Amino acid sequence: MGTVSPRRRGLGDLLGDRSGWVFALLRRFRPILSAGPFTVVTRSDDVREVLGDHEHFTVAHYTPKMAEITGPFILGLDDTALYRYDHAALRAVMRRDDVPAIGHEVLAAARTRVAAAGAGELDVVRDLADPVLDGIVASYLGAPGPDTATQLRWARDLFEHIFLNASNDAAIRARALADAAEMRPHIDGLIAARKARLATDAPVPDDVLTRLLQAKEQDGGLHDLAIRHNLIGLITGWIPTVSKAFAMVVEELLRRPEELAAAQRAARTGDQQLVASYVFEALRFRPQTWALLRVCAADRVLAAGTGRETVVRAGTRVLVATRSAMFDGSVVPDAGRFRPGRAWGDYLHFGHGLHTCFGLQINRVQLPALAMALLEGGDLVRAGDLRWDGPYPAGLRIRRAGRS
């Protein structure tokens, strides 16, 4: 990824461990905090209420940024006819029965990366997560970048502008627009090349791009421009978030020697389900995001009939504190304790409601697969601090115990 730039880290990342006590106080004394144009929602029931009400709490604020990047895609569309059409078209080609094969491919690729490090240090971001995720995007979506570094830059810069650039920083926007100007013709070229192969009956991979183009021929499907919009959206939503989530998991386990040792024992016995329970519990303590942003479209009474009942006015920007909600002891059993094997419903890693992460099922296998490959060898120890490039982990080096 090159030299780490002086880009600013996000608020949630800067708060880190220090945010826990702040949100604990808010949950107890001001669970719905309104301050000027913002409202912060901290309790589990209220977080789920906001995320479950897509009519009042919208994602339409992302649409203008998407429009200047490429065009609308499902991550930033409300429950419109376009959303429903594109969502159904993508669901038809990104099938649940693809998920096991994705898990196997991620595990195999990750094992190759870990083995290549041998007795030396391994950077779990640059040497493991980033190239493996880039590879699965290329093979499953059929949308490789010109090279891994370029694909990562495109995805991260676009994600930062669309979803994290709440202050509309001009430098962040300029980076994203420049990258989008490179990415659009690249994806158009992939689409054109695949169409040409399909037209000649040449062998083609059974990936998402092929399926989208075949569906277009059979029943209308998505037109080429919509395919480009959604491929860019999928890449943008996939690589940065999963890479960051994996770095957060490893960082949290490194800070918990007993839990790390237990997770490694599970990996060595091949128990990927148990490894997954450590992964997602670690991610609860150190998630890839602390909150989701929604905008209130019309006045709405939140937590009606409770002592915290609040009127949220139209135009209010609502920070939906998913990390805080996962520590709400009124809903989450033994919330302050690291407890693998929790019910999946205790987690909000991938959102809730209409905009639950589109890749939820894939994430439930690819994150544990990455972890399996890393954990199943010798005992891990930290070889460097977690480094950042703006809102993204830039590196986290580990080595095996007893190695120098």
Side-chain angles (χ1 to χ4, degrees):
M1 290 173 59
T3 303
V4 175
S5 69
R7 292 159 61 187
R8 292 174 295 176
R9 289 171 60 186
L11 174 60
D13 300 319
L14 287 169
L15 286 173
D17 296 333
R18 291 167 290 181
S19 65
W21 67 269
V22 174
F23 284 109
L25 290 174
L26 288 176
R27 286 193 302 273
R28 181 173 182 182
F29 298 110
R30 292 292 298 277
I32 302 174
L33 175 65
S34 295
F38 290 94
T39 291
V40 182
V41 180
T42 63
R43 286 193 183 175
S44 179
D45 288 346
D46 303 336
V47 162
R48 293 173 188 274
E49 183 177 351
V50 171
L51 295 178
D53 184 358
H54 55 264
E55 293 184 3
H56 285 89
F57 300 103
T58 82
V59 296
H61 47 290
Y62 297 131
T63 302
K65 292 180 178 180
M66 290 182 176
E68 64 181 1
I69 293 298
T70 181
F73 51 90
I74 60 169
L75 300 183
L77 291 173
D78 287 318
D79 189 20
T80 60
L82 178 60
Y83 171 87
R84 291 191 291 272
Y85 187 87
D86 284 13
H87 192 277
L90 290 173
R91 277 282 172 241
V93 299
M94 297 180 70
R95 304 162 188 157
R96 185 177 286 266
D97 57 10
D98 294 335
V99 171
I102 293 172
H104 293 318
E105 183 176 345
V106 170
L107 180 58
R111 280 174 168 162
T112 298
R113 290 277 169 180
V114 172
E121 291 185 1
L122 174 75
D123 189 312
V124 301
V125 179
R126 299 199 311 175
D127 300 333
L128 181 56
D130 286 351
V132 169
L133 294 171
D134 179 55
I136 198 70
V137 162
S139 63
Y140 181 61
L141 295 185
D147 54 68
T148 296
T150 301
Q151 182 91 300
L152 292 170
R153 171 170 56 83
W154 285 348
R156 287 180 171 145
D157 287 351
L158 267 58
F159 189 95
E160 183 176 10
H161 176 50
I162 295 170
F163 297 108
L164 305 179
N165 190 17
S167 64
N168 293 313
D169 182 278
I172 294 173
R173 177 175 180 268
R175 281 197 300 268
L177 294 183
D179 288 333
E182 297 174 1
M183 194 175 190
R184 288 192 300 268
H186 174 76
I187 297 294
D188 287 342
L190 296 177
I191 293 170
R194 186 63 58 84
K195 287 175 68 177
R197 290 182 65 182
L198 286 166
T200 63
D201 292 325
V204 294
D206 179 27
D207 54 27
V208 168
L209 177 54
T210 292
R211 294 173 185 177
L212 285 169
L213 291 170
Q214 290 173 333
K216 176 187 172 186
E217 293 300 318
Q218 293 165 5
D219 58 16
L222 298 180
H223 55 76
D224 290 0
L225 193 58
I227 291 174
R228 182 235 276 171
H229 294 342
N230 284 287
L231 284 177
I232 290 177
L234 289 168
I235 295 166
T236 299
W238 191 323
I239 296 176
T241 56
V242 181
S243 175
K244 181 176 181 179
F246 184 64
M248 298 296 95
V249 167
V250 177
E251 172 70 10
E252 185 64 23
L253 289 176
L254 288 171
R255 295 188 180 202
R256 295 175 174 272
E258 291 185 9
E259 286 80 5
L260 174 60
Q264 291 210 254
R265 288 194 295 271
R268 289 168 189 149
T269 63
D271 192 341
Q272 190 162 328
Q273 184 174 351
L274 183 54
V275 169
S277 72
Y278 278 91
V279 166
F280 293 116
E281 183 68 351
L283 199 59
R284 184 172 72 94
F285 281 83
R286 196 173 298 273
Q288 74 273 20
T289 185
W290 69 277
L292 301 172
L293 177 64
R294 297 292 185 264
V295 174
C296 189
D299 289 2
R300 170 69 150 76
V301 177
L302 189 59
T306 72
R308 61 186 186 278
E309 179 178 306
T310 302
V311 177
V312 182
R313 299 298 181 187
T316 300
R317 306 181 83 177
V318 183
L319 293 170
V320 191
T322 49
R323 182 185 188 276
S324 173
M326 290 190 287
F327 284 85
D328 183 350
S330 68
V331 173
V332 179
D334 207 5
R337 180 170 162 241
F338 190 105
R339 201 179 83 180
R342 290 183 180 276
W344 185 254
D346 288 348
Y347 296 130
L348 285 162
H349 301 317
F350 305 110
H352 176 73
L354 183 73
H355 282 285
T356 298
C357 175
F358 186 81
L360 168 63
Q361 297 306 322
I362 294 173
N363 285 326
R364 290 187 70 171
V365 299
Q366 68 180 345
L367 281 167
L370 286 166
M372 277 287 293
L374 180 67
L375 298 173
E376 62 192 0
D379 293 348
L380 298 183
V381 294
R382 183 189 298 276
D385 292 333
L386 178 62
R387 295 178 292 108
W388 293 84
D389 180 11
Y392 306 115
L396 174 58
R397 299 194 315 279
I398 59 91
R399 59 179 174 83
R400 303 295 173 182
R403 306 284 187 179
S404 60

